[in-house]
Amino acid sequence: MSSTWKCEEARVPPALQLLTPPITKFKIGLCQMSVTPDKERNIVHARNAIMKAAEMGAKLVLLPEMWNSPYSHESFPVYAEEIDAGSEASPSTAMLSEVARTLNITIVGGSIPERSGDKLYNTCCVFDTDGKLKARHRKRNPLHDRSQTSNYGIFLMYNTLIHLFDIDIPGEITFQESKTLTAGETPTIVDTGAHLICYPGAFNMTTGQLLWELCQRARAADNQLYVATCSPARDVASVYVAWGHSTLVGPFGEILATTEHDEAVIVSEIDYSQVELIRTNLPLQNQRRGDLYQLVDVQRLNC
């Protein structure tokens, strides 16, 4: 029966073979940190959190969204850095590069406000164990290559990916990223597939309670992979109050490790053999209905 479903035709072009990463078992560190108006303090604080995670055995460390800047329209232009202009123009990424190289770890650097010309972006940088910038992901058309998956099979995403986050719930919260940040252009496609999705996120007290854990567990189960999220710690005195609860979710949607809302550094193990086992036991890719629908990767077709 399944042979008539044409599962291999459900994706155009056909899906690429998922590569087995050279590192199949490792520890990941999630650094849920407080963010203050003192940028220099934030950079030092992030450095210390990364070092603590590495001391606990983490080989991959994830930081929160907007970890060097308060989450506000007034702050984004002031705290923005020109990442391509060198260490003096971007002390935040210079620190990430130096620590990644010194500790021989991979850092998914949450996100910082980036200035490029007259535009501002919400940008995540990934530094490999040699301290080199391996990928830069903006909430717009991201720069990426195969190295974005790194040795750990990383795929970077945000809660809205290319769509900026605008919310207006009377009596609850009003915030529009689109007032300050540049909107997206195209989605990100990573050909090699992913074993781990990293979400640097700053869900608020309204959407956090409703959607934060739900979205993580749903994406993990849908794609049969690990999902790691990292939020700023909660500060009730700030203009934008983050939900917290940084979490690692397994490929069956199970919660493997999580924080509360205060500052915390947690380390947990990722075992990619579990991804392979689950995808063998529950082969969702073989159930795609190519006779009914197709997922068309326009970017790969154009290439």
Side-chain angles (χ1 to χ4, degrees):
M1 179 65 180
S2 62
S3 61
T4 65
W5 293 352
K6 301 180 180 179
C7 61
E8 69 282 355
E9 297 181 14
R11 297 185 62 143
V12 181
L16 298 179
Q17 182 67 33
L18 185 66
L19 301 177
T20 301
I23 299 173
T24 58
K25 184 182 290 188
F26 62 93
K27 290 184 178 180
I28 183 173
L30 310 179
C31 300
Q32 181 169 292
M33 51 176 283
S34 62
V35 179
T36 73
D38 186 338
K39 183 177 179 179
E40 184 175 342
R41 178 263 181 199
N42 294 336
I43 294 174
V44 172
H45 198 47
R47 179 189 179 93
N48 291 337
I50 294 169
M51 293 180 67
K52 181 177 180 180
E55 290 172 359
M56 296 168 66
K59 292 298 183 182
L60 173 65
V61 177
L62 176 61
L63 292 181
E65 183 177 20
M66 291 295 181
W67 59 266
N68 75 342
S69 165
Y71 198 90
S72 71
H73 294 301
E74 296 76 18
S75 298
F76 295 155
V78 177
Y79 289 73
E81 300 182 2
E82 296 185 50
I83 295 173
D84 294 328
S87 58
E88 291 189 6
S90 184
S92 299
T93 57
M95 179 276 291
L96 297 179
S97 174
E98 186 269 329
V99 174
R101 182 181 68 254
T102 301
L103 299 180
N104 193 38
I105 61 174
T106 297
I107 297 177
V108 180
S111 75
I112 64 171
E114 178 196 6
R115 184 182 302 281
S116 180
D118 60 350
K119 296 181 179 180
L120 294 176
Y121 298 105
N122 186 346
T123 300
C124 177
C125 293
V126 179
F127 292 91
D128 216 334
T129 54
D130 56 6
K132 293 183 179 179
L133 180 64
K134 302 299 292 185
R136 174 171 50 187
H137 183 106
R138 294 167 169 170
K139 270 192 176 178
R140 62 171 292 277
N141 184 17
L143 304 179
H144 65 87
D145 56 25
R146 285 179 176 268
S147 64
Q148 179 166 338
T149 57
S150 183
N151 287 333
Y152 299 94
I154 302 168
F155 180 32
L156 302 175
M157 297 185 72
Y158 290 103
N159 56 337
T160 48
L161 189 59
I162 62 171
H163 304 96
L164 298 178
F165 179 66
D166 289 355
I167 186 171
D168 184 11
I169 302 177
E172 295 284 344
I173 182 174
T174 298
F175 193 90
Q176 294 179 308
E177 281 190 335
S178 59
K179 288 179 62 177
T180 311
L181 302 173
T182 300
E185 297 174 359
T186 62
T188 304
I189 304 297
V190 179
D191 283 340
T192 56
H195 306 266
L196 167 66
I197 297 178
C198 290
Y199 289 88
F203 273 62
N204 55 68
M205 296 294 290
T206 301
T207 59
Q209 184 175 5
L210 294 172
L211 303 174
W212 180 244
E213 182 180 310
L214 173 66
C215 289
Q216 297 171 57
R217 298 184 68 182
R219 298 295 79 75
D222 287 346
N223 297 285
Q224 298 177 304
L225 42 63
Y226 287 89
V227 170
T229 62
C230 194
S231 166
R234 190 180 304 173
D235 179 3
V236 295
S238 65
V239 175
Y240 184 97
V241 183
W243 174 244
H245 297 277
S246 303
T247 305
L248 177 66
V249 181
F252 251 152
E254 71 277 25
I255 301 295
L256 299 177
T258 190
T259 68
E260 294 296 327
H261 60 267
D262 294 324
E263 280 198 316
V265 174
I266 59 172
V267 172
S268 187
E269 187 171 76
I270 286 178
D271 184 356
Y272 284 152
S273 68
Q274 293 302 305
V275 173
E276 183 178 356
L277 177 63
I278 289 171
R279 291 179 177 181
T280 299
N281 293 343
L282 187 61
L284 299 182
Q285 67 274 13
N286 295 336
Q287 310 303 319
R288 296 192 181 101
R289 295 296 302 270
D291 57 322
L292 298 179
Y293 59 78
Q294 289 183 325
L295 173 64
V296 180
D297 186 338
V298 177
Q299 288 183 330
R300 283 182 59 203
L301 279 178
N302 291 339
C303 290

